[in-house]
Amino acid sequence: MISLFALPALLVLFVDLVLGFFVLFMNPGSNGARGFSLMCFVTALLAFCEFQFQSAESYERAYFWLRAGGIWPLVGMVYVAFALIYVRREALLRSWITILLLYLPAAAWTVLDTATDWMIVPLRTELGWSYEPVEPTWPGDLSLIWGLGSMVV
């Protein structure tokens, strides 16, 4: 049975896919259109993982989809890359230093979030599945600070 709380994720999935394909087909040669479409597609992927997580019928399935959604740090860096393209700072994306500063920490957080239980685990509530921080919470706290800091940049 599909949880009521899974429906917004399903809506985001469909809207992002339609919007991403629409923009890409309207102007396929533009770096901005390709960046925006990539941003829509990775957001759709996260929405799909969230939908599956919310619709899971067992702890094992919820755990799998929670781990699959652990790619959010890389998705955040796709947003930052799109912002650099949008403000016409594409030259920064050609620099190895920028690439390392953007994607190396994101890759480390992604590995920690997808391969370990150091940050969050699924929690079954009366309304469906949710997230529960793991004690000690310092890995999750550092991840949150990094994520918020990257949004400010």
Side-chain angles (χ1 to χ4, degrees):
M1 183 170 145
I2 296 177
S3 167
L4 180 64
F5 296 103
L7 294 179
L10 190 61
L11 179 65
V12 169
L13 169 67
F14 287 122
V15 168
D16 276 344
L17 286 176
V18 168
L19 192 58
F21 281 118
F22 177 75
V23 169
L24 187 62
F25 288 134
M26 291 303 290
N27 195 0
S30 166
N31 283 343
R34 287 187 290 202
F36 182 79
S37 294
L38 178 63
M39 191 173 68
C40 286
F41 297 148
V42 296
T43 303
L45 177 64
L46 277 182
F48 178 73
C49 291
E50 183 65 23
F51 173 75
Q52 291 294 337
F53 173 72
Q54 292 294 330
S55 301
E57 296 175 2
S58 67
Y59 180 85
E60 290 78 23
R61 286 191 61 185
Y63 184 84
F64 173 81
W65 287 109
L66 180 64
R67 294 293 160 239
I71 62 168
W72 68 266
L74 291 175
V75 172
M77 291 306 100
V78 170
Y79 292 177
V80 171
F82 171 71
L84 290 173
I85 291 170
Y86 186 74
V87 297
R88 306 217 186 270
R89 304 276 184 189
E90 295 165 342
L92 285 174
L93 291 175
R94 294 186 190 103
S95 166
W96 281 101
I97 294 171
T98 305
I99 297 296
L100 285 176
L101 288 175
L102 283 178
Y103 290 103
L104 195 59
W109 288 120
T110 299
V111 167
L112 281 176
D113 205 10
T114 57
T116 69
D117 288 336
W118 284 11
M119 293 200 274
I120 55 175
V121 292
L123 173 68
R124 182 72 171 175
T125 67
E126 62 272 359
L127 299 175
W129 291 99
S130 185
Y131 317 104
E132 181 177 34
V134 176
E135 295 292 331
T137 60
W138 66 266
D141 294 342
L142 285 177
S143 171
L144 180 64
I145 292 168
W146 173 83
L148 292 173
S150 64
M151 283 192 286
V152 171
V153 171

